[in-house]
Amino acid sequence: MRDIAPDSREVSLVIESFGFDDDIDDVRDAADRKMTEFIAVTVRREPGSQRQAELDLLLQPIVERAVSLCREAHDASLAAVKAQRLVVEAQSEGCYWLTPLSERASAHTFYAARLLVDAHVACQRAAGASRAIEIAKRGETWAPFDLHAEALALCVDELAARSSNR
């Protein structure tokens, strides 16, 4: 999923450039929390293969939606680039129908931008849901994601790995 997900920096720039009012900062954490609540209410509590199967089924539609939106965003981006190229070619050739071509290119570009943001949000939701599901599969107690603690753990792991290689 990470390989096809839109870059969050690009998405932030698109949101700003197009004046979208999307708040993308807490999407992953909200999805993580929401999935944990959903699991607590709907998935059997007893450990075992049935619980694992129920947990596996929860993630599939979320990931499929994210992948589908990423594909749509990619295709829309290609269509927008093609439409923009037609405008440039028409301008350089001195064509008369520039306004309709420009409007069409703008519409394609806006649509592609909207889909990029939607794909990003869907990928973030999938990542959050995945975290909650993985915690449930391991039988651990869920706690909100703590960026600072995770970063510190990575640093400690890296230092330990470097020390053992010397």
Side-chain angles (χ1 to χ4, degrees), residues 47-59:
S49 61
Q50 288 182 329
R51 177 176 168 81
Q52 296 294 322
E54 288 177 21
L55 291 169
D56 286 338
L57 287 175
L58 290 177
L59 190 57

Side-chain angles (χ1 to χ4, degrees), residues 34-86:
K34 186 176 176 182
M35 181 56 75
T36 297
E37 293 166 0
F38 184 79
I39 289 169
V41 173
T42 62
V43 175
R44 71 181 70 239
R45 296 176 192 266
E46 309 82 46
S49 61
Q50 288 182 329
R51 177 176 168 81
Q52 296 294 322
E54 288 177 21
L55 291 169
D56 286 338
L57 287 175
L58 290 177
L59 190 57
Q60 183 177 352
I62 299 167
V63 170
E64 286 174 356
R65 174 164 168 68
V67 169
S68 176
L69 282 170
C70 286
R71 184 176 299 117
E72 287 179 44
H74 174 74
D75 292 347
S77 175
L78 294 177
V81 168
K82 184 177 179 180
Q84 293 290 346
R85 283 186 184 146
L86 284 174

Side-chain angles (χ1 to χ4, degrees), residues 78-153:
L78 294 177
V81 168
K82 184 177 179 180
Q84 293 290 346
R85 283 186 184 146
L86 284 174
V87 171
V88 171
E89 289 172 11
Q91 286 172 334
S92 66
E93 293 174 9
C95 292
Y96 294 101
W97 296 97
L98 290 177
T99 301
L101 284 175
S102 291
E103 289 172 356
R104 182 172 180 257
S106 293
H108 276 291
T109 302
F110 184 86
Y111 181 66
R114 181 71 259 166
L115 280 177
L116 181 77
V117 175
D118 293 347
H120 173 75
V121 168
C123 288
Q124 291 300 303
R125 285 185 179 143
S130 176
R131 179 180 184 270
I133 291 168
E134 289 303 315
I135 289 170
K137 281 182 170 182
R138 293 190 304 263
E140 298 173 0
T141 302
W142 180 86
F145 182 76
D146 183 349
L147 179 62
H148 299 293
E150 294 295 326
L152 181 61

